[in-house]
Amino acid sequence: MARTGRPRAFDRDAALHTAMLVFWERGYATTSTTDLSAAMGINPPSLYAAFKNKEHLFREAVGLYERTEADASRRAMDEAPTARKAVAALLHESVDRFTTEGKPRGCMIVLAATNCTEDHASVRDFALRCRARTKTTIKARLDAAADAGDLDADTDTDRIAAFYTTFLNGLSLQARDGADRTQLHDLVDMAMFVWNAPNGPLVDSEA
Amino acid sequence: MARTGRPRAFDRDAALHTAMLVFWERGYATTSTTDLSAAMGINPPSLYAAFKNKEHLFREAVGLYERTEADASRRAMDEAPTARKAVAALLHESVDRFTTEGKPRGCMIVLAATNCTEDHASVRDFALRCRARTKTTIKARLDAAADAGDLDADTDTDRIAAFYTTFLNGLSLQARDGADRTQLHDLVDMAMFVWNAPNGPLVDSEA
DNA sequence: TTTCTTATGTAGAGGTTAGTACAGAAGTGG
DNA sequence: CCACTTCTGTACTAACCTCTACATAAGAAA
């Protein structure tokens, strides 16, 4: 049914996409609603009518980010034939996403709300939950591989997921700080070497 | 020579230490001078007289952080007998520093100015330079080891330094997000396995 | 004591923040 | 045509931001 009343004069999806880019680039706390409405090409009342407030807009922007950017990495992981290739695909795909021309560098979820203070506690906790999902997603892929016999049944998938999540977060910061795309891919190759010793306490070859 | 005029009624070093903790916890942009002067127990004019302005105070706070926290990690690295043990010592020492009770978690330099916007460009660039030094410091230790014959002369020390810097940055975020200290130490052990293949392009054992 | 210097507390200037009141515009339904 | 609903731009509020003017306090130097 067609809604009554004056129709919206701007494209809500396009505006949300713009807001996502601004938050991604500048972070939650350091982006003002004035910046946002200016970038989105609308006036404050339109912003608030369409997105309720700054926090809701941010949550929607993160949702869009997950449905587009983050989900592409997850898909690359799911489509890979083996657990090892899945993790490598996730990391390499992420590197490409972190260094795409015309988009902010690094991961929005990692960078946009790291130092949210107590007065934005709900935003901070929201971002925390989003970040926690990264490890969960990797672990789920590894568990599926273990079920399929692609990994030893006694593999500590949580440990591996934690390692690559940590490394992935580091890649975000390196990308934001201007690291070269090819160098980041090379670092991913290095990180994949850990795969060769996924289980048990590692032996210090020197000690 | 003793300065003339009314003496300062507060301990400048203690106030700076407090400011460091506040910036470390909350970040540069999201910490207000009101928060700072309240935490330091002084009024705004005293803050500005002693530290010039917010940016100068931040720079001094980062300097203090480097002289205390960061330098302890560097010392652990320098004192280790071999290059490999040096990197391991740096990472393990950092994990301890990132998860010390009563202090903010993670690295101040990584977390306090990640999403500084264009209007704080000088602060952002300052933090960027500080972060870049981490890799330089690791590389210097590796180069020294290469000179001493502890590493092959053709070792790509820049590449190794880049990998461990990336991983170290990831540890900061994991620590800030609440990761357990023992788990982080375990992740360091995993990362050290990369050491076994430091040179040349790594062979993908599966591809 | 007087003078000079520097620190202090109060109080506020000037700008920015998130969010909104309001009048009018632009549609739909009758 | 008219009511009704919803969006729009202008203009604003109240709270916050960084930073400072100013009168006074507290020490050293003379």
Side-chain angles (χ1 to χ4, degrees), chain B residues 62-79:
Chain B
V62 170
L64 175 60
Y65 181 84
E66 287 182 323
R67 286 196 307 279
T68 53
E69 302 289 329
D71 201 59
S73 299
R74 199 180 52 71
R75 218 174 312 120
M77 185 168 71
D78 288 345
E79 287 167 1

Side-chain angles (χ1 to χ4, degrees), chain A residues 3 5-6 9-10 43 45-46:
Chain A
R3 296 206 328 278
R6 178 174 178 174
F10 63 95
N43 287 310
S46 299

Side-chain angles (χ1 to χ4, degrees), chain B residues 11-24 40 51 57 60-61 64-65 68-69 102-103 108:
Chain B
D11 182 340
R12 192 182 188 279
D13 291 339
L16 179 60
H17 182 80
T18 303
M20 177 189 78
L21 292 175
V22 176
F23 275 131
W24 186 359
M40 297 158 89
F51 300 102
L57 175 56
E60 272 205 57
L64 175 60
Y65 181 84
T68 53
E69 302 289 329
K103 287 189 180 170
M108 175 188 186

Side-chain angles (χ1 to χ4, degrees), chain B residues 24-144:
Chain B
W24 186 359
E25 171 83 43
R26 306 167 48 106
Y28 178 77
T30 45
T31 299
S32 73
T33 54
T34 310
D35 297 330
L36 289 164
S37 58
M40 297 158 89
I42 60 180
N43 288 310
S46 298
L47 190 157
Y48 283 87
F51 300 102
K52 181 160 179 162
N53 59 28
K54 186 182 172 185
E55 175 170 344
H56 270 74
L57 175 56
F58 180 72
R59 286 171 183 257
E60 272 205 57
V62 170
L64 175 60
Y65 181 84
E66 287 182 323
R67 286 196 307 279
T68 53
E69 302 289 329
D71 201 59
S73 299
R74 199 180 52 71
R75 218 174 312 120
M77 185 168 71
D78 288 345
E79 287 167 1
T82 68
R84 186 182 198 280
K85 283 181 197 248
V87 171
L90 166 70
L91 296 176
H92 284 297
E93 171 72 23
S94 295
V95 164
D96 283 341
R97 303 232 152 233
F98 291 173
T99 57
T100 297
E101 207 73 37
K103 287 189 180 170
R105 296 173 72 92
C107 170
M108 175 188 186
I109 298 168
V110 167
L111 297 169
T114 40
N115 41 29
C116 258
T117 52
E118 205 55 47
D119 27 304
H120 304 298
S122 63
V123 173
R124 186 196 53 195
D125 296 345
F126 170 71
L128 187 71
R129 285 194 301 277
C130 290
R131 286 194 291 273
R133 266 201 298 276
T134 304
K135 191 181 106 174
T136 310
T137 307
I138 297 176
K139 181 174 176 339
R141 178 66 183 85
L142 298 179
D143 286 336

Side-chain angles (χ1 to χ4, degrees), chain A residues 40-72:
Chain A
M40 297 158 88
I42 60 180
N43 287 310
S46 299
L47 189 157
Y48 283 88
F51 300 102
K52 181 159 177 161
N53 59 30
K54 186 182 172 184
E55 175 170 346
H56 270 73
L57 175 57
F58 180 72
R59 286 172 184 256
E60 271 204 59
V62 170
L64 174 61
Y65 180 85
E66 287 182 324
R67 284 195 310 279
T68 54
E69 303 290 329
D71 203 58

